[in-house]
Structures are given as structure tokens and as C-alpha cells.
Amino acid sequence: MSVGGLPREEVGMMMGLGGVALGDPPADYGSIAAVGMFVALMCVCIIVGHLLEENRWMNESTTALLIGLGSGTVILLVSSGKNSRIMVFSEDLFFIYLLPPIIFNAGFQVKKKQFFRNFMTITLFAVVGTLISFSIISLGAMGIISKLNIGALELGDFLALGAIFSATDSVCTLQVLSQDETPFLYSLVFGEGVVNDATSVVLFNAIQNFDLANFSSFKFLQLVGSFLYLFGTSTFLGVATGLLSAYIIKKLYFGRHSTDREVSIMMLMAYLSYMLAELLDLSGILTVFFCGIVMSHYTWHNVTESSRVTTKHAFATLSFISETFLFLYVGMDALDIEKWKIVSETYSPMKSVALSSIIVALVLVARAAFVFPLSYLSNLTKKTPGEKISIRQQVIIWWAGLMRGAVSIALAYNKFAKSGHTQLPSNAIMITSTIIIVLFSTIVFGLLTKPLIRLLIPTRHITRELSALSEPASPKSFLEQLTAGGPDPENSVGIRRPTSLRMLLASPTRSVHYYWRKFDNAFMRPVFGGRGFVPFVPGSPTESSVPLLAPVNES
Amino acid sequence: MSVGGLPREEVGMMMGLGGVALGDPPADYGSIAAVGMFVALMCVCIIVGHLLEENRWMNESTTALLIGLGSGTVILLVSSGKNSRIMVFSEDLFFIYLLPPIIFNAGFQVKKKQFFRNFMTITLFAVVGTLISFSIISLGAMGIISKLNIGALELGDFLALGAIFSATDSVCTLQVLSQDETPFLYSLVFGEGVVNDATSVVLFNAIQNFDLANFSSFKFLQLVGSFLYLFGTSTFLGVATGLLSAYIIKKLYFGRHSTDREVSIMMLMAYLSYMLAELLDLSGILTVFFCGIVMSHYTWHNVTESSRVTTKHAFATLSFISETFLFLYVGMDALDIEKWKIVSETYSPMKSVALSSIIVALVLVARAAFVFPLSYLSNLTKKTPGEKISIRQQVIIWWAGLMRGAVSIALAYNKFAKSGHTQLPSNAIMITSTIIIVLFSTIVFGLLTKPLIRLLIPTRHITRELSALSEPASPKSFLEQLTAGGPDPENSVGIRRPTSLRMLLASPTRSVHYYWRKFDNAFMRPVFGGRGFVPFVPGSPTESSVPLLAPVNES
């Protein structure tokens, strides 16, 4: 995947946000003030998000977006509209620093049992579904947008639009769907979201690097081939890095000397897998996602207990901070007035609204066009009615995947702001429309999701007891609920089996799962460690729980 | 404190290391390749450091330095000496991203009892001692270096040299002194190192911002005044931010909803305190150090159990990663051949060696000149022989603080590479000499410290049993050893009291400590939380230990 393509000046903005200047302090203060202000705003987001936790409308993403918009407005007013480039959305910042922790954590915390059991359905939605969505949006854009007289748009531009707006926002999805109330839907929509991100990015890059001038069916096959190649190699790289980390930690047994080394090596190797994928032009998202899955299956079991607690929460925290940063950033970036000026000078205000509305309509149609047929297909393979996806659930799946987020913005910048800085009006209007769509879909669709779920799934179906568990928001308690739902031979806890949300379990998937378990136990775990295969070293704190609970230091 | 002053181009290098180019790949790859290479090298450092753990000569800093030197050489050879600017030591990278986690963690993990009990001695060494060292090095440099005919050096340059080489390297000190074997010495040298860093930076900035043309005794008093002001306000800011975080977390009780929010708010507020201090021209190091102390005394007790384990290890890990990065970076930066070319064109090779040797000699003398007299002074206030600092211990204190590290390099860059890029030969030779001294002192003095301690303190005095504890490298077990050593009314564990390393406890300090405890219990803890003052909320996982120990997710 090609990251960047922005001029060197913007690469420099990556972390320092070097161009930020409130008023006109000396250059030294610029980056400190920017970073400081951002950190302060993130604190505000976290506190406000906490206070609004009980609110049935808001979620953390929307809160951060609105705070970002608000503070952007304040800065714009303070600088009397002069500082149009308050903050530049740097793709590198997004793809190198913010996205990896979010996606890695998604893989690390994903309920593997549930994920792999629904693997067929998730893949169907995320790969075939995204391709359908991509085709419909591209064709629709070609048919309708070309009549708007926006400017010289080529075939590549329309295809890019299709890829850009096929990327659902998995970060926001995570927050509007409650893992406690709708575990099956959550697993499906979330799983789809992660793989869909990867699909869109891979698709986008395949289009970018492709000679579209003479398109033929042979070339189309080539496109499909390179897509599958990217998918396979990226997954392989992630799995390999994860296994390497498990092997290193198992062989060297870092915990003997220091917890910090274990945690560091897990962090660094996960990041390394992403970086390697980017360097090799693969999909870093897929790689780091599978690296997270492998690490939680093998590596995590090889480390000491303190490292286990630490990694579980530290990765979640890093991901949480990145998400908050991201939405804050997107909110502030929406107020970069330079683009809006270019757009308003060339087009009537209605044209930008019309363009955005058309794309939103296309997104709505395109998602409906694959969710309902593919659900029907998926239901054909299921035997009992409880395993099928009901119409109400299909509506929620359709709705919860409508949000478009930072991936869309990053891809849009890559496509339409590559050369120079959105000087072409046709490029500028694409960027502003993307921002309008992201804000609209996140805020409007996001706000309506919770009420919609309450409307469609009556409260008696929502397993109330579960929310009384000790750690409502923790992934582990969610896991317990998930594993409790399915017919799981290993599950000794067996809390309860909610009938309406019974797990889907097609027989072919089941037998694959069975052979995988045999192989895992016979070969993989003895080599790479994992639950039940970690040698007990005397003197190591692996088995004692008391030290963890003692205070770190006393006054 | 003024951070930066480098041209905008270098600010851009901060995190992206944007200028890095191995061979000549497209610009996009530059930053990814650099970050990826760095991450890979850090993994190597951690693994090699782990393998050399048992080695009596090596320590982690030296390992990272040598690996940095080695890989720098390889890159230089691969690029056939063309890429002289492989990696630019950016002050911003150091002061904005690497130093805060290291110093915050130092404050967070510091044994507060031990630290405050030895507070008088530590302050004596770190403030008065650093001032003595500063004077001697400045005067010595004025007397000797001015005869070397290096170029036009002014009074300000000599004073800056004094401040630069008065900063001991607390990071490296942490690694050569074993907290298990010599807890008292560790606390003293480490406490001195942290406060000394702050002293040097404050001193350096005071000199920089001061009109040295007409120096008078009144101006000297002004200098002392601004020094004390900076010290006081920085400490106050750190304490205030720490208390604010404790208050917010206690009042809002984040843990009810999410562990991640608690950990995030602790991280972000600690970082915010540093940023605020920098923005207000205070000493960020002092601020974040005291913020760490307050957070571990109040905030840490207000969060859930999982957050406690997570913060304890996550902060240590972040600090560990920063340290490794730092030494790797310093090692690679030493090979920036541009500076060496300028130096070799103007001076004879002997001049650089002579300059470095003179400064090393001055450092040796200057440290001896305050360690022995101040130890004598400190011993005068102690009554029993067990409380005094023995001559052998004094020798170790002298020796263990001789290393100069990244703070010296960062200050030297600030002083001598501010305008342009070391074009003046006299500036270039100062930079190269600083690098020589840092490498020499870290490697030679660092390598000799462990054997020296073994020589001076016979093994029978080293409390062997302690190293058999479950977590040898963890700060908590060290804490137990420390609290076990002193006559502590609260200490119910009471493992054992090593006589030779008996704690120093002067009566005045003791009564201050006593009144502080009364005040703390009567007013501070009820408001800000802290051990024993956190309300138990039913349904919160604060008191249950089992969830922590269950696996995060199962296959």
C-alpha cells in the first residue's frame, strides 16, 4: 500500500503538526502549543464522553467530532479567519501512527471463536459485499455525477470514489453497537468492518496502480489476481510475525528478567509487522490485524501474568487514544477553509450539497444491495431458524455499516490532494464532499443507530443480566458471553444460551474448526506456546496472583 | 525552558525522520523505512540486552549504544559514505517525545518514602553539588580550553559547557546500579540524577536568557532568584496537575465504565503537565517528575485494579522503549560525518582528543569536588555510624554519576548547532567532543561500574536473599525491600533489616515527615483519594482479583 505521496513539507507535519500557529508565537512554540492543545482537548473529550456515557444518543466518536468542530471554530474566530490551515490532515499521521494501534487492538481483542465461526459470513460481507458496493457506487457516480458538470473526471476517479465510499468506519461502528446487548450483530458488523477496511484500501491501491486506459476482461482478472495476492501475502506476513514473537518470547522467556521487555517486544513486533507490510506494498491493516489475532492466541499466553493484564489494557488504551485523536482531528480538519474557498469560488453552494447527497444515496443503496441478498445466501446454508439472520438484524447490519470515517478521508486525500494542495476545483469539491459525507454519516447515522436497535430488537431479547457483570465494557466479559452462547465443547463455564441470538454454525466451518484445533494442539501450541502449553518456571510470578494486587508503591 | 530553535526543516524530522533515505527510494518510503528500521533495531536491542542480562560487564544502555554505532557504520558503508546525515539528532524528538515518559516513570516508580527520607541529601547533591560542578567545569574550561586556540569562545560558551557537562545521565545510572543489591546507593544516585537533570537544564536556560555582558553580583543574585523561581513553579505545576488528575478520577470514577479511560486520562494529563511547563517556559522535567510522584501517591489508588497493574507496567514499558530508542539514536548520531569533516578540516585530530580529555578530567574533578565534601557535611547531621555514607559508598556515588548522556547532547546541540548546521568549526568541535565524551563515559565508566561495586562492597554485604524474590526487576519488590529497611511504623511486612545499608533518617526530616503524614491523612487523602481513601463502589471490579487473571480471550 502506498502511504503518502504528499510533498515533503506535509510529511514534516506528521507528528509535530509543525504548521500550527495560534496568533504568531516563535516557531519553537508552534509544535508544543499544538501538541499541548491536542492533549488538553483529548482530556476534555474523554471526560465529556464519560459524562455522556448514559446518554442514549451520543457516543464517543460523535462527542470527539463535535468537540473538534467546536474548537476548530474557536481557533478560526481567534485568528480572525486567517489561519485557514489550522491543521492539515496528514495521511502519514493517520496511516503510520493512528491506524496501526486501532486495528492491532481490534485483532488482539477480537473474539476469535466467534470471528472464525462466522468467518464465512464475515468474508462474504466484507469481500464480496465490498466489491458489490464498489461497483454500484462507481457505476452510479459515473451515471449521475458526470451530469453535474463538475469538471474533467476520468474513469479512474469514479472507480476511486467507489473504493473510497465502500470503506465503512469500523472505529465508529465499534462504539454504536453494544457488545453486551447484541453480541452476534457486533461480531458480524465489526468483523466485516475490519476486513472491509482492508478490502477498500487494497482495492483503492489496485486501481491506482493499474493502467485503466485499455480496460479488458483479462485486465479485470489481473486486478482480481493482484487483489487476492495482496490479501494472501498480507495475512501470511501478519501470521508469521505473530508466530515469530510467540517463538522468541517462549524460547527466551523474557518474563524471567523483566515484564517491560515482554510488553515492549509485543508492541514493537506488532508495529514492525505493519511497517514491513507497508514497505513491501502490502496491506498493513490486514497484516497487523492478523498479527493481533495470532499474538492473542499464542504470544499472550507465553508472557507473565502482569504482562497479560498490561498488554490487554495498554493496547486497548492506545487504541482508544488513537480513536479519540482521530475524530478530534477529523472534526478540526473539516474547518480548513482554503478548500471551501476554492469550492465556493467555482461552484454554486447547491452543487456541493447535491454531490454529497448523491453519494450518500449511493452509499445507502449500495449497502442495501449486498446486505440483504448476501444475508439471504448466508441463511440458505443454515439449518435451524435460530441460526439465520432475521430481517430485523439485516436492517441493523445495513444501517450500522453506513458510517464513513477517517479511512475514507485518508483515501480521498490520497486521490484528490496528491499534487499540490487541492488547487483544481474538481479535486477540492471531492475533498469537501467527502468531509460533508463523513460528518453527516457519523453524526446522523451514528446518532440514530442506538434508537434503531432499541426499536427493532425489543428489550426482552436483550440479555439484561449480562450487563450486571463486573466489567461491563471489558472485552473479556463480552467473550464470556460469546463463548457461553455457542455449543462449545471447551466451554466449562456455560452461563446461559440466549435463543434469539444463537450463534451461526455451518457444518463445513465446524469441521474446519475441528481439524484446526487438532493441528493447533498437536503441532502449533507445543512450538509456539499458547494456553496450557507454557512451561512453568519456578520463581516466575506466572502463577501467583497476589503480587499484582499489591500497591505499586507506598507513601 | 526553550525547546527547539532548530530550523523548521528539522522540526519536520521530529517523528518522521523524514530526511532518512537508504539508497534513494521514493520519498514516501523514507519515513516508513526509517521508522521500520528503528523498530527492528529496537527489537534486536531488547533481545540482545536480554541475552546479555547475566553478563557482568554489559548493560542495556551500552548494548543499545553499540548496536546503534554498529548499524550506523553499516548504513554509512552501504551508502558509500554519501549519506552523512543518516539521522539528525532532533532536540524536539528528545525533549517532546522521549524524555517525558522516562522522567514521568522515574517519578511514578520512585520509592517515595526513601526519596523523601533522603530528600535533604539528594537536594544537597543535586542542587548545591551541580552548582559546584558547574562552577568548576566552567572555570576550568575558561582556564584551560582558551589556551587550545579553538576559536572565538565567549563567557556564555564556557558557562554553557559547565551546565552541559554537569548533567549526569540518570537513564544510564538506573541501569548500572542494581536496586536489589544497593538500594540506598541507588535511591541516592538516582534521586540526584533526576533532580540534577532538571538543575542543569534550568541552569542552562537561565544562562542562555541572561545578559552576560555586564556581570555583577546583583545579576548573580538575579540568576539565583530566577533559578529558585523556576524550581518552585515547576514543582507546583507538576503537583497541581497530579492532584487535578486524582480529583477528576475520584469524582467521576471512570472505572465504572472503562479501564481505558482511566489509563488514558493518567497518560494524557501527565503529558499535559509537561507540555504546559514547556509552554510556560518552566522545567518540564521537574514538573513531570513531581506529577509522577503525586499520581502514584493519589491518582494510582483511585483507579481500578486492572488500571493499577496496567499503568505500573505500561509506564515502565514506555520508558524502557524511550530509553532504548534514545541510546540507539545517540549511537547512530555519533556517525554523522558532516561534523567530523568540518572538524578534521580545521583542526588537528589531536585537538579534538585533547579537548575531550580535558573535559573528562574536569568532569572527574568537579564531581569529586562536591561528592566528598557534601557527603562529609551530610554525615555531620547523622548520629549513628550506620546512617553515615561510608568512604566506599562515596566512591561509588562519585563514579556512578560520571556518565554523560542524551541530556548533554541535546543541550550541546541547542547551544552549538542552533544557527544553521555546525558551520563554524569551533561549534562543530564542541559537538564532536560532546559525542566523544558521551560515548566514552557511557561505555567506559558504565562498564566499570558493576565491577567497581563488586570490588568495594563485598558480597556478604549484598543482600542475596532479595534477588530470590518473585519479581527481581519490578519496582514493587524493590519497594518492599526499601520499606523493609527503614524503621517504618506503617510497615507491617517487615522482611529484614540490612545493617550495612541502614537508612539515613535525620530527626528534622523525620518530624517534617510526621506532620506531613498527619496533614495527608486529615486533609489530602479525603479530598484526592489515596490508599485507604477510595470509596468502594458495588459492582466495580476494584476488589476482585479473579477477572484479572482470566485469559483475555480464548481460541
PDB file of all heavy atoms in Angstrom, chain B residues 259-272:
ATOM      1  N   THR B 259     -11.801   0.862  31.950  1.00  0.00           N
ATOM      2  CA  THR B 259     -10.412   0.942  32.391  1.00  0.00           C
ATOM      3  C   THR B 259      -9.605   1.855  31.484  1.00  0.00           C
ATOM      4  O   THR B 259      -8.755   2.614  31.946  1.00  0.00           O
ATOM      5  CB  THR B 259      -9.795  -0.464  32.361  1.00  0.00           C
ATOM      6  OG1 THR B 259     -10.502  -1.276  33.286  1.00  0.00           O
ATOM      7  CG2 THR B 259      -8.342  -0.433  32.745  1.00  0.00           C
ATOM      8  N   ASP B 260      -9.903   1.770  30.195  1.00  0.00           N
ATOM      9  CA  ASP B 260      -9.119   2.520  29.210  1.00  0.00           C
ATOM     10  C   ASP B 260      -9.149   4.009  29.487  1.00  0.00           C
ATOM     11  O   ASP B 260      -8.153   4.697  29.312  1.00  0.00           O
ATOM     12  CB  ASP B 260      -9.660   2.277  27.801  1.00  0.00           C
ATOM     13  CG  ASP B 260      -9.798   0.808  27.501  1.00  0.00           C
ATOM     14  OD1 ASP B 260      -9.133   0.021  28.191  1.00  0.00           O
ATOM     15  OD2 ASP B 260     -10.551   0.457  26.596  1.00  0.00           O
ATOM     16  N   ARG B 261     -10.316   4.508  29.888  1.00  0.00           N
ATOM     17  CA  ARG B 261     -10.430   5.941  30.137  1.00  0.00           C
ATOM     18  C   ARG B 261      -9.533   6.371  31.283  1.00  0.00           C
ATOM     19  O   ARG B 261      -8.905   7.414  31.217  1.00  0.00           O
ATOM     20  CB  ARG B 261     -11.873   6.289  30.481  1.00  0.00           C
ATOM     21  CG  ARG B 261     -12.664   6.605  29.266  1.00  0.00           C
ATOM     22  CD  ARG B 261     -13.848   7.471  29.605  1.00  0.00           C
ATOM     23  NE  ARG B 261     -14.823   7.302  28.555  1.00  0.00           N
ATOM     24  CZ  ARG B 261     -15.937   6.611  28.709  1.00  0.00           C
ATOM     25  NH1 ARG B 261     -16.252   6.074  29.868  1.00  0.00           N
ATOM     26  NH2 ARG B 261     -16.739   6.482  27.695  1.00  0.00           N
ATOM     27  N   GLU B 262      -9.492   5.565  32.330  1.00  0.00           N
ATOM     28  CA  GLU B 262      -8.628   5.897  33.467  1.00  0.00           C
ATOM     29  C   GLU B 262      -7.174   5.970  33.038  1.00  0.00           C
ATOM     30  O   GLU B 262      -6.464   6.938  33.326  1.00  0.00           O
ATOM     31  CB  GLU B 262      -8.745   4.829  34.546  1.00  0.00           C
ATOM     32  CG  GLU B 262     -10.062   4.788  35.241  1.00  0.00           C
ATOM     33  CD  GLU B 262     -10.067   3.712  36.317  1.00  0.00           C
ATOM     34  OE1 GLU B 262      -9.283   2.747  36.201  1.00  0.00           O
ATOM     35  OE2 GLU B 262     -10.839   3.854  37.255  1.00  0.00           O
ATOM     36  N   VAL B 263      -6.741   4.922  32.337  1.00  0.00           N
ATOM     37  CA  VAL B 263      -5.338   4.878  31.925  1.00  0.00           C
ATOM     38  C   VAL B 263      -5.047   6.036  30.976  1.00  0.00           C
ATOM     39  O   VAL B 263      -4.025   6.713  31.096  1.00  0.00           O
ATOM     40  CB  VAL B 263      -5.017   3.517  31.278  1.00  0.00           C
ATOM     41  CG1 VAL B 263      -3.578   3.468  30.844  1.00  0.00           C
ATOM     42  CG2 VAL B 263      -5.322   2.388  32.234  1.00  0.00           C
ATOM     43  N   SER B 264      -5.979   6.286  30.045  1.00  0.00           N
ATOM     44  CA  SER B 264      -5.777   7.383  29.091  1.00  0.00           C
ATOM     45  C   SER B 264      -5.644   8.708  29.818  1.00  0.00           C
ATOM     46  O   SER B 264      -4.755   9.511  29.508  1.00  0.00           O
ATOM     47  CB  SER B 264      -6.954   7.501  28.130  1.00  0.00           C
ATOM     48  OG  SER B 264      -7.256   6.296  27.541  1.00  0.00           O
ATOM     49  N   ILE B 265      -6.539   8.943  30.775  1.00  0.00           N
ATOM     50  CA  ILE B 265      -6.521  10.251  31.417  1.00  0.00           C
ATOM     51  C   ILE B 265      -5.230  10.415  32.223  1.00  0.00           C
ATOM     52  O   ILE B 265      -4.655  11.505  32.266  1.00  0.00           O
ATOM     53  CB  ILE B 265      -7.793  10.475  32.266  1.00  0.00           C
ATOM     54  CG1 ILE B 265      -8.160  11.949  32.268  1.00  0.00           C
ATOM     55  CG2 ILE B 265      -7.640  10.034  33.706  1.00  0.00           C
ATOM     56  CD1 ILE B 265      -9.197  12.321  31.300  1.00  0.00           C
ATOM     57  N   MET B 266      -4.734   9.333  32.807  1.00  0.00           N
ATOM     58  CA  MET B 266      -3.466   9.441  33.534  1.00  0.00           C
ATOM     59  C   MET B 266      -2.322   9.772  32.585  1.00  0.00           C
ATOM     60  O   MET B 266      -1.514  10.659  32.829  1.00  0.00           O
ATOM     61  CB  MET B 266      -3.181   8.154  34.303  1.00  0.00           C
ATOM     62  CG  MET B 266      -3.954   8.047  35.597  1.00  0.00           C
ATOM     63  SD  MET B 266      -3.691   6.479  36.455  1.00  0.00           S
ATOM     64  CE  MET B 266      -2.107   6.777  37.246  1.00  0.00           C
ATOM     65  N   MET B 267      -2.273   9.036  31.483  1.00  0.00           N
ATOM     66  CA  MET B 267      -1.225   9.298  30.479  1.00  0.00           C
ATOM     67  C   MET B 267      -1.301  10.722  29.954  1.00  0.00           C
ATOM     68  O   MET B 267      -0.304  11.439  29.915  1.00  0.00           O
ATOM     69  CB  MET B 267      -1.413   8.367  29.283  1.00  0.00           C
ATOM     70  CG  MET B 267      -0.779   7.033  29.403  1.00  0.00           C
ATOM     71  SD  MET B 267      -0.965   6.214  27.803  1.00  0.00           S
ATOM     72  CE  MET B 267      -0.116   4.699  28.159  1.00  0.00           C
ATOM     73  N   LEU B 268      -2.506  11.106  29.546  1.00  0.00           N
ATOM     74  CA  LEU B 268      -2.648  12.393  28.875  1.00  0.00           C
ATOM     75  C   LEU B 268      -2.387  13.546  29.832  1.00  0.00           C
ATOM     76  O   LEU B 268      -1.756  14.539  29.467  1.00  0.00           O
ATOM     77  CB  LEU B 268      -4.041  12.516  28.259  1.00  0.00           C
ATOM     78  CG  LEU B 268      -4.313  11.590  27.076  1.00  0.00           C
ATOM     79  CD1 LEU B 268      -5.755  11.699  26.627  1.00  0.00           C
ATOM     80  CD2 LEU B 268      -3.394  11.922  25.910  1.00  0.00           C
ATOM     81  N   MET B 269      -2.843  13.423  31.082  1.00  0.00           N
ATOM     82  CA  MET B 269      -2.635  14.534  32.000  1.00  0.00           C
ATOM     83  C   MET B 269      -1.171  14.659  32.393  1.00  0.00           C
ATOM     84  O   MET B 269      -0.663  15.764  32.594  1.00  0.00           O
ATOM     85  CB  MET B 269      -3.532  14.393  33.222  1.00  0.00           C
ATOM     86  CG  MET B 269      -4.976  14.594  32.820  1.00  0.00           C
ATOM     87  SD  MET B 269      -6.046  15.259  34.094  1.00  0.00           S
ATOM     88  CE  MET B 269      -5.209  16.685  34.659  1.00  0.00           C
ATOM     89  N   ALA B 270      -0.483  13.531  32.508  1.00  0.00           N
ATOM     90  CA  ALA B 270       0.946  13.598  32.786  1.00  0.00           C
ATOM     91  C   ALA B 270       1.659  14.324  31.648  1.00  0.00           C
ATOM     92  O   ALA B 270       2.490  15.215  31.876  1.00  0.00           O
ATOM     93  CB  ALA B 270       1.510  12.188  32.943  1.00  0.00           C
ATOM     94  N   TYR B 271       1.289  13.964  30.431  1.00  0.00           N
ATOM     95  CA  TYR B 271       1.925  14.580  29.281  1.00  0.00           C
ATOM     96  C   TYR B 271       1.560  16.054  29.199  1.00  0.00           C
ATOM     97  O   TYR B 271       2.390  16.901  28.865  1.00  0.00           O
ATOM     98  CB  TYR B 271       1.473  13.848  28.021  1.00  0.00           C
ATOM     99  CG  TYR B 271       2.362  14.104  26.847  1.00  0.00           C
ATOM    100  CD1 TYR B 271       3.705  13.789  26.908  1.00  0.00           C
ATOM    101  CD2 TYR B 271       1.870  14.677  25.698  1.00  0.00           C
ATOM    102  CE1 TYR B 271       4.529  14.037  25.847  1.00  0.00           C
ATOM    103  CE2 TYR B 271       2.691  14.924  24.619  1.00  0.00           C
ATOM    104  CZ  TYR B 271       4.011  14.604  24.695  1.00  0.00           C
ATOM    105  OH  TYR B 271       4.840  14.865  23.645  1.00  0.00           O
ATOM    106  N   LEU B 272       0.317  16.348  29.551  1.00  0.00           N
ATOM    107  CA  LEU B 272      -0.147  17.728  29.534  1.00  0.00           C
ATOM    108  C   LEU B 272       0.662  18.585  30.503  1.00  0.00           C
ATOM    109  O   LEU B 272       0.999  19.736  30.206  1.00  0.00           O
ATOM    110  CB  LEU B 272      -1.630  17.765  29.916  1.00  0.00           C
ATOM    111  CG  LEU B 272      -2.367  19.067  29.688  1.00  0.00           C
ATOM    112  CD1 LEU B 272      -2.341  19.437  28.226  1.00  0.00           C
ATOM    113  CD2 LEU B 272      -3.815  18.960  30.157  1.00  0.00           C
TER     114      LEU B 272
END
